[in-house]
Amino acid sequence: MLKPYFIALLLFSIQAGIAQNDFQDIFSSNTKPLKENIRIEFQDSRNNQTFLPISILKGQREGPVFTIVAGVHGFEYPPIVGVQELLREIDVDSLTGTLIIIPIANTSSFFSRTSIVNPNDQVNLNGAFPGKSTGSVTQKIADFITTNIIPVSDIFLDIHGGGVNEDLIPFALFYDNPNYPQQTKKARELTEISGFEYIVSYPFTIRDDEPAKYVFKQASQNGKVALSFESGRLGNVQKDAVSLIKNGVYNMLDNMEMYDKGTGLNAYLIQLNNQTYISATETGLFYSHLKAGDSVKKGDNIGYITNEFGEKLNEYKAHSSGIILYKISTPPVNVDDTLMCISSSL
Ligand SMILES: [Zn+2]
């Protein structure tokens, strides 16, 4: 009596597994070298639909699994364009190990030219981790990455740039995660050889049961070598920002002995580990004479906000000395927006 039920259950499980998990099938395939492009589709209870493109490149020889994600924010184009060029250039015959490349993590935001959130469910993917398998489409994408891609990755690189309203200087960053000293050490080493001049570490202070929110913080929480680049500004595709991203990836792959196309580290590194954020306390128009990369001293005026009649509401001062990593560079601001991030070395 048990047997038919058991067989039916087994068949059902196998079929459900195949339908859901193209990624696992290709990732665990013994065919090498291999390059496969897949789209994972998502639908939620409100009938929102979206998809996650994933390219899996397996080299002939065994080696680390290096994951690269672009387009968590669909309006940050240098990361997306840089990854497009990497996909065209990287030859799997010369690759050791595996590359998992997500060229545009938030396709709904990208194709609708929406800066931060997925317009389907109004959720910011950069804030949705670990995600939820029964949630909205963006929460499902986060859950898929957390449960399928992070666990099989050794190195996890999340690439961002300045959105349409953001000025920033390029930097490579990692979490200074005391729970995983070996991975943190490797993350520091990889950022230092990336070719970026500014190397920024963020403190990692969340508990294991707290939501990581950001994808590479999720990877750090799960004990992976977790890194990020910020390159490009104001929603444009700057050629030098794209090159910095590509060289950064090639330098890291070279360091991991996965691919031989590195250009070497930047001769002059600036290490920063102390970030302070100035938040808007009013909604209005923001004016500032400063740009990303400028140095400020504690107490300096950094700008002011007016209402829509041009009347000044508040002046803002720097709470610390340092260099402006990024700032809002277009007029509109809302309460609690980060006007700028000032970074220094403790
Ligand atoms: Zn971003």
Side-chain angles (χ1 to χ4, degrees):
M1 287 295 285
L2 277 174
K3 213 174 172 186
Y5 170 73
F6 178 71
I7 290 168
L9 188 70
L10 187 72
L11 284 173
F12 175 76
S13 315
I14 290 169
Q15 277 180 347
I18 289 168
Q20 283 170 13
N21 238 331
D22 280 355
F23 171 76
Q24 292 293 352
D25 287 348
I26 297 165
F27 181 78
S28 54
S29 152
N30 285 323
T31 311
K32 291 174 196 166
L34 167 149
K35 183 175 181 183
E36 288 261 12
N37 298 326
I38 57 172
R39 291 188 180 92
I40 309 287
E41 292 181 0
F42 298 90
Q43 184 167 8
D44 64 21
S45 59
R46 296 196 167 180
N47 247 351
N48 294 314
Q49 293 179 357
T50 192
F51 68 95
L52 181 70
I54 307 174
S55 193
I56 302 162
L57 290 76
K58 292 183 108 169
Q60 189 70 49
R61 293 169 297 278
E62 289 290 330
V65 177
F66 197 121
T67 297
I68 302 169
V69 181
V72 164
H73 288 139
F75 222 120
E76 296 171 0
Y77 299 138
I80 292 169
V81 171
V83 164
Q84 295 294 308
E85 294 186 13
L86 290 168
L87 281 169
R88 282 195 294 272
E89 288 174 13
I90 292 174
D91 173 12
V92 286
D93 290 328
S94 308
L95 177 69
T96 297
T98 302
L99 278 174
I100 300 170
I101 299 182
I102 298 177
I104 307 171
N106 190 342
T107 49
S108 299
S109 150
F110 177 74
F111 288 112
S112 63
R113 304 183 188 92
T114 306
S115 132
I116 302 288
V117 299
N118 180 332
N120 297 144
D121 57 10
Q122 300 297 317
V123 175
N124 179 356
L125 182 58
N126 201 42
F129 285 82
K132 200 173 172 192
S133 61
T134 54
S136 68
V137 277
T138 305
Q139 293 167 322
K140 282 174 186 251
I141 292 173
D143 172 71
F144 183 89
I145 294 173
T146 302
T147 55
N148 289 275
I149 297 186
I150 292 175
V152 300
S153 305
D154 298 305
I155 317 284
F156 195 98
L157 172 66
D158 177 29
I159 315 178
H160 288 254
V164 69
N165 63 336
E166 242 181 343
D167 184 18
L168 65 77
I169 51 167
F171 56 100
L173 61 153
F174 64 96
Y175 280 103
D176 192 356
N177 186 339
N179 304 325
Y180 295 99
Q182 285 307 315
Q183 289 87 336
T184 298
K185 189 171 167 232
K186 189 67 193 176
R188 180 186 294 277
E189 181 190 340
L190 287 173
T191 52
E192 286 176 355
I193 59 87
S194 64
F196 280 69
E197 180 180 5
Y198 288 92
I199 311 300
V200 178
S201 67
Y202 282 24
F204 187 93
T205 53
I206 58 168
R207 296 188 315 265
D208 278 351
D209 59 348
E210 282 181 276
K213 292 187 179 174
Y214 317 117
V215 65
F216 89 107
K217 194 170 192 179
Q218 182 71 49
S220 181
Q221 189 179 42
N222 296 1
K224 306 300 178 179
V225 177
L227 313 152
S228 183
F229 292 155
E230 291 277 358
S231 185
R233 49 196 284 275
L234 295 167
N236 284 311
V237 183
Q238 295 92 0
K239 213 170 171 216
D240 54 345
V242 173
S243 298
L244 209 50
I245 289 166
K246 279 174 58 186
N247 288 340
V249 170
Y250 282 132
N251 283 332
M252 288 180 174
L253 294 179
D254 200 343
N255 174 282
M256 298 298 299
E257 298 182 345
M258 293 177 69
Y259 203 76
D260 188 16
K261 206 184 167 183
T263 52
L265 79 171
N266 198 302
Y268 186 62
L269 296 182
I270 297 168
Q271 309 260 6
L272 302 167
N273 61 6
N274 178 44
Q275 283 70 248
T276 58
Y277 304 90
I278 300 171
S279 298
T281 50
E282 291 83 15
T283 290
L285 288 77
F286 177 53
Y287 295 89
S288 172
H289 59 289
L290 297 163
K291 60 182 190 307
D294 285 348
S295 291
V296 291
K297 285 204 181 66
K298 188 176 178 177
D300 282 356
N301 277 327
I302 60 104
Y304 60 93
I305 291 178
T306 73
N307 64 16
E308 58 275 31
F309 301 106
E311 296 161 337
K312 197 180 277 190
L313 300 176
N314 199 1
E315 290 211 353
Y316 290 82
K317 290 185 191 308
H319 332 295
S320 61
S321 300
I323 185 162
I324 299 170
L325 277 187
Y326 54 87
K327 67 179 282 283
I328 287 185
S329 286
T330 54
V333 291
N334 293 292
V335 172
D336 291 338
D337 281 354
T338 297
L339 296 173
M340 63 178 66
C341 168
I342 297 170
S343 190
S344 62
S345 183
L346 279 179

